[in-house]
Amino acid sequence: MKNPGRSAGILIAACAAAVLFIGGTAIAGGPNLIANPSLDNGTSGWNTEHSGSNISVSFNYPVKGFSGNAVKAQITKYKNSGDAYWQSPAASVAAGKSYLFSGYSLSNVSVNVIAIFTKNNGSSVTQTLGTVSGTGAWQQFSATVTIPSGYTKVRFAHELKSIGYVEVDQYSLTEAASTSTPPPPPVQQKPLINSFVTSSSTIVAGQQVTLSWNVSNASSTSIDQNVGIVTGASKQVTPTQTTTYTLTATNPAGVATSSVTVTVVQPAPPTPPTQPNGPNLIANGNLEAGTANNPTGWNADYWGTMNVKFTYPVAGKGGGKAAQVAITKYSSGDAKWDFDHVPVSSHTIYTFTDDYNSTLKDNVTVEYLMSDGTYQYDWVADAPATNGTWQTLTAQVTVPTGAVSLTVLHTIAAVGTLTIDNASLTANPQNPLPSGMVALTFDDGDLSQYQNALPILNAAGMRASFYIITSEPGSGDSGYMTWAQIKNLASQGFEIGGHTQTHPYLTTLTSAQAQKEIAGSYSDLVKQGITPTTFVYPYGDRSPSTDAMVAAAGYSAARGSYYGLNEPGAPRYNLDDIRVDSSTSLASLEAEIDQAVADKRLLILEIHDVLQSGGDEYAITPSFLQSLVNYIKQSGIKVVTLNQAIGSI
């Protein structure tokens, strides 16, 4: 396989002859055997293909291509298996003969390049030619293809097998030949700017931002705004006001330019101090007291099959003492340092914080001792890896009725290390709402919600909030509501909110990508005549920077996926909720509703598919939803949309 890339000087044109010389040997020549390779005259001959039962796919044409138009395949929901791709028109070929395939693609994930060979009787076989990485910039892939015996047709595709997208353009298939004809003089190509992006399109005054680019065939590259000549692939700048930067690439054959704008906003005024929480309930929360091997009041604990080492003391944040757990071999279970149980009240919401340094994503779960002597466990947060730096985790802890004491389990469950320091558990000031409230929130815009949940809500006279993945309506995926159905919900008084454009894990994206997902969802809804007010993070995956992006996009509040009730002063862009799924018992929800009523808190319920049968672990049945709605009515709790609840918290 050869992949000479753009630097080899290949010129691809629809139905034009092309010859490539490497080391004096011509390896390709003759006309392009793929019809309509540029896609500038529609998609004639091109087909869409996808497989898999737990997959959501969309196909688009036209989109902006490498040169002219292109086609796009996108997967927004994926589980276990399946694929999606645009397939080129069939080219007639001769068995045993070699050909050179070339094609351009732009993707945000790695994709396989495949050839599909077909016999005259219709049987086919697929061969993987190679892989193209997801750089977000146009890339050329080339490979020599030898046609298997008995096959007379071949098609090509860039195969997508995960959540993401791929665009393709300018496919070419030419006969391979061998000759010693010397190569012609190289043709000077004009410079090409493949990409020019900023690490963040909106910054606070005083912050730095990184401009990054990918340029081909340039002898000189420069940026205006007094940046000047640049080398390499990136440059940090610190604009003091909103600035548009223009990248210019030149060579003797011509000039190419591209621009990006960085919006500069002034820092937000400091938040007025709130009433401080009570004293730290964790004895020796800073881990300074202890013996040679164990901090006072703390326990080294693990379960499962693993090789684990607990170390105390180690260097903590700021130079004090801390405790570390390291897993060197792992099969199952988890490991953690946990503090001795502290007495708590179910009528109080607590704030837990700790400083931690971890090589991997951690789980944070609260262990409650109940009045009947049993233990109950509630997940409250995930703590992302810190990449060698100290970070602070903060989570609100809603104590269930009947709990008498608790400890917090900050755990790791894979090979890696976790160091913790400065753990704190404080009681929030008593600050109830005027009355208990419940908000029913439906994620993703699933069609089953419109078909099965809407009649139940209307019969009960309840209004709820629906959060839309804005790339799905109009995509043709029958599992999601259409824009007409969503607008009908809005006309009936249901709240419509944002849930990003494609439902990614936001913290895995670049700043620019995350901002596009968030702000794009807002603008997509506005284009449909809907002004959204609240937002939901996909998978509850968020960070302080994504919170700021949600606020900047125009949303007034956001729901995460941390377990618990909400009170006045709750973090506006990370409201707690309780998920309702196939494993949830009605009794547990009734207890949460009763507690929200008794303590005058806001309970946010997170709901996905509402299906008579089937579905994944997130789905519930209409009969279960009906029983839940019946109990809500029986309890007398106030039912609100999330937007209506914001004014109270």
Side-chain angles (χ1 to χ4, degrees), residues 41-57:
N41 296 312
T43 59
S44 175
W46 290 76
N47 297 323
T48 59
E49 299 286 346
H50 74 277
S51 64
S53 58
N54 291 301
I55 185 173
S56 295
V57 177

Side-chain angles (χ1 to χ4, degrees), residues 1 46 105 122 139 256 309 349-350 358 361 414 586 631 634:
M1 180 182 297
W46 290 76
S105 66
Q139 301 179 73
K309 180 180 180 181
I349 293 179
Y350 295 81
S358 180
K361 182 179 179 180
L586 183 61
Y631 192 81
Q634 174 187 328

Side-chain angles (χ1 to χ4, degrees), residues 282-291 294-299 311-314 316 320-324 337-339 354-355 390 419-423:
I282 303 173
N284 193 30
N286 61 8
L287 296 114
E288 293 303 308
T291 64
N294 205 85
T296 303
W298 288 78
N299 310 287
T311 307
Y312 174 83
V314 297
K321 297 178 181 179
Q324 184 178 88
W337 285 95
D338 56 73
F339 56 88
D354 69 7
D355 294 322
W390 284 94
T419 307
I420 59 171
D421 196 3
N422 301 322

Side-chain angles (χ1 to χ4, degrees), residues 52 429 478:
S478 60

Side-chain angles (χ1 to χ4, degrees), residues 432-434 437 567-569 638 644-649:
L433 297 166
M437 296 188 294
E567 61 184 350
K638 183 178 181 181
Q644 291 170 335
I646 297 307
S648 299
I649 62 171

